[in-house]
Amino acid sequence: MHVARERQHQPRALSRRSLLGGAAAAAGAVTLTGTAAGPASAASTRDVDVAVVGGGLAGLTAARDLVAGGRTVAVLEARDRVGGRVVNLPLANGGFSEGGGEFIGPTQDRIKALADSLGVATFTTYNTGKNLLYKDGKKTPYATDGILGSVPPIDAAGLANAAIVQASLDDMAKQVPVDAPWTAAKAAEWDKQTFESWLNAHAVIPSAKFLLDVACTSIFSAQPRELSLLFVLFYIAAAGNESDPGTLERLTDTANGAQESRFVGGSQQVPIKLAATLGDRVVLSAPVRSIARSGGKYLVTADGITVTAKKVVVAVPPPLAGRIVFDPLLPASRDQLGQRLPMGSIGKAIAVYDSPFWRADGLNGQVVSDSGVVRSTFDNSPPDASYGALMGFIEADEMRAHDASDVDEVKAAVLKDYAAYFGDKAKSPTSFVLQRWDNEGFSRGGPVAYAPPGVLTEYGAALRKPADGIHWAGTETSTYWNGFMDGAVRSGERVAKEVLAAL
């Protein structure tokens, strides 16, 4: 939907962003079979130049560039698969659907270049037909290609207010340096307030506040009350590249935005194929427990393997990095930072049907809703439409309310929403899959670790600062497309240059 998510001049319909990842590798996708990657043998040891903690896009990209720079590398991945917050989920019909990071769009140059280099193609997210606004129990289809773009049909006063708010956020974001948001001229003022307190003062029309609230939860999987205004402005500024400033619209749009395209074969194809180029340098099922400096080197201890290295790259989310035992202790500023960056709360629910029946009704499968467990949906069908798949995001308060629910309970709530949006046919899928990132042991949420008030100005400078020979990667450390697959790749490229220069 946009008020952020869709065009300019006016707020538009909010779409959905690339997410996260975690769960078993998918049917229909290339697997690591045939490469030398695999679990560590009992009590094995390695001596390398660089140990990389984390086999997601950031860690794998860093390893690729370090190897290209002539260095020896070991990648230690806690899960039994690569990809981190990017994963393909197998479906009962033999297909698959993305359980985590999924979409890419304009200015996401680095993930696109990586995918191209690995032969992973993209296709356009299904966006033909009308969006749906479900508000106050009323279902309203609306066109996305008219004069106003994908503007949900709320009242005129709300649209005008939301347009002003969106323009204000974009203008403020231009004042935030993406490499050091804590140095912005108004950083202290913006970082001492929540996004919600700012919205309450500026989104004064209830329908405008609704659009901004949905934009917030769909982008961050967190409520406006949880986020620093400065962090939100940084995130908007980061939704671009070196030549194209970030905008709220680019974060939320489908066409011409962050949800524009998907990967043929699913997004996990990218890390799987990248890991295959690294062979037995990638060790699976090896969660790192401790990193200790000894005699000018580092001893990285994981389940089943110990690695001695000159440098270490930690490429996992800051909250998870804080669960590793470091000796000597990390600098207090870095540890305090990790304590203060919680993960968003998110799940993806995919219902599978014989066909994408909503298309015959002139709908594109994208919904913006003010109620239900799922308030944002997409058509996740394969390019050939050989079956239909509706994907819904469960986010923030709604996800937390269902973290402890059994799958059948969540399924019933999700299908009730889908039926309200798309009719009775949605009640009877041929299969259903659920990915709850809050309950993933090596993610504990997603799509990104976010900053509440006071964190960036006090601790932000520690985000990328090496701790002696320990260097930091991961999408949370990226200056552009923070929280996205593109940001993960960028962080891996940056940290590899950093480490090669230090060796």
Side-chain angles (χ1 to χ4, degrees):
M1 128 192 177
H2 187 131
V3 99
R5 259 184 194 165
E6 311 273 35
R7 270 144 114 135
Q8 190 158 18
H9 311 135
Q10 305 267 350
R12 301 182 208 254
L14 292 152
S15 7
R16 188 27 210 241
R17 53 136 350 64
S18 341
L19 282 224
L20 10 162
V30 175
T31 70
L32 277 176
T33 304
T35 78
S41 57
S44 63
T45 60
R46 295 192 190 183
D47 186 12
V48 296
D49 292 323
V50 186
V52 178
V53 181
L57 284 168
L60 295 171
T61 299
R64 174 202 65 181
D65 289 0
L66 288 165
V67 170
R71 297 296 178 172
T72 56
V73 173
V75 179
L76 303 176
E77 167 54 45
R79 294 177 171 96
D80 62 357
R81 62 165 185 83
V82 295
R85 285 168 277 178
V86 177
V87 66
N88 289 350
L89 302 178
L91 302 177
N93 63 7
F96 60 88
S97 192
E98 297 91 340
E102 173 173 357
F103 302 108
I104 70 166
T107 75
Q108 295 188 9
D109 313 307
R110 302 317 303 153
I111 180 65
K112 183 61 165 62
L114 174 60
D116 287 348
S117 74
L118 296 168
V120 182
T122 60
F123 67 100
T124 303
T125 302
Y126 190 80
N127 197 37
T128 301
K130 294 183 177 181
N131 284 18
L132 280 178
L133 172 66
Y134 190 85
K135 191 172 186 296
D136 301 323
K138 181 183 177 183
K139 183 168 63 175
T140 306
Y142 62 99
T144 62
D145 56 358
I147 228 175
L148 299 178
S150 303
V151 182
I154 62 170
D155 57 282
L159 286 173
N161 185 200
I164 292 170
V165 170
Q166 179 176 319
S168 296
L169 288 168
D170 283 347
D171 287 343
M172 293 159 68
K174 291 174 184 175
Q175 303 171 47
V176 177
V178 293
D179 59 343
W182 47 88
T183 67
K186 295 185 178 180
E189 174 187 339
W190 291 338
D191 203 30
K192 70 181 181 182
Q193 60 184 302
T194 64
F195 187 39
E196 181 169 56
S197 65
W198 187 88
L199 283 178
N200 286 341
H202 295 84
V204 293
I205 305 297
S207 56
K209 179 65 160 52
F210 156 69
L211 290 182
L212 273 300
D213 283 348
V214 176
C216 178
T217 54
S218 71
I219 291 168
F220 300 103
S221 300
Q223 303 295 146
R225 67 176 184 271
E226 299 176 286
L227 302 162
S228 158
L229 173 61
L230 178 62
F231 178 74
V232 172
L233 296 175
F234 155 70
Y235 215 78
I236 294 169
N241 59 18
E242 292 77 3
S243 57
D244 296 286
T247 65
L248 184 55
E249 178 180 27
R250 192 178 293 122
L251 273 174
T252 58
D253 278 356
T254 299
N256 301 312
Q259 289 67 234
E260 184 173 73
S261 300
R262 298 168 58 197
F263 289 109
V264 176
S267 52
Q268 199 188 2
Q269 290 274 63
V270 179
I272 286 172
K273 290 191 171 186
L274 179 55
T277 70
L278 294 167
D280 65 0
R281 299 180 185 90
V282 180
V283 183
L284 303 178
S285 302
V288 170
R289 306 301 181 181
S290 65
I291 300 173
R293 191 175 62 209
S294 176
K297 287 194 172 186
Y298 286 90
L299 195 65
V300 182
T301 304
D303 290 3
I305 185 170
T306 299
V307 176
T308 303
K310 298 172 186 174
K311 302 287 183 183
V312 180
V313 170
V314 178
V316 298
L320 297 184
R323 300 179 187 186
I324 299 170
V325 176
F326 291 87
D327 181 17
L329 294 174
L330 292 176
S333 58
R334 172 68 203 196
D335 189 74
Q336 291 283 323
L337 175 70
Q339 293 180 43
R340 287 166 167 79
L341 294 177
M343 302 297 289
S345 296
I346 189 165
K348 294 178 81 171
I350 298 102
V352 181
Y353 304 89
D354 289 333
S355 67
F357 61 85
W358 50 91
R359 297 182 184 181
D361 296 328
L363 301 176
N364 62 17
Q366 296 174 43
V367 172
V368 176
S369 176
D370 67 348
S371 60
V373 62
V374 167
R375 303 188 181 191
S376 176
T377 69
F378 276 86
D379 182 330
N380 252 38
S381 309
D384 62 2
S386 54
Y387 59 87
L390 281 174
M391 182 274 287
F393 289 101
I394 310 174
E395 302 184 281
D397 284 350
E398 283 69 45
M399 187 68 266
R400 289 187 282 263
H402 288 85
D403 281 338
S405 302
D406 63 41
V407 174
D408 287 342
E409 184 179 350
V410 178
K411 177 181 177 180
V414 169
L415 294 183
K416 179 180 178 182
D417 291 340
Y418 289 178
Y421 305 149
F422 300 106
D424 286 346
K425 289 181 181 178
K427 294 180 179 178
S428 304
T430 57
S431 63
F432 180 89
V433 292
L434 177 67
Q435 176 68 31
R436 286 185 277 194
W437 289 103
D438 295 19
N439 296 340
E440 266 283 321
F442 297 111
S443 293
R444 299 320 307 259
V448 66
Y450 63 85
V455 175
L456 287 180
T457 48
E458 188 67 28
Y459 305 103
L463 186 61
R464 288 179 295 275
K465 185 178 180 180
D468 290 326
I470 299 171
H471 299 253
W472 310 102
T475 190
E476 284 85 2
T477 71
S478 186
T479 54
Y480 288 107
W481 288 109
N482 192 286
F484 288 73
M485 292 184 286
D486 189 73
V489 174
R490 287 174 183 269
S491 78
E493 293 174 339
R494 185 263 309 158
V495 84
K497 292 176 184 176
E498 190 179 286
V499 171
L500 286 170
L503 281 169

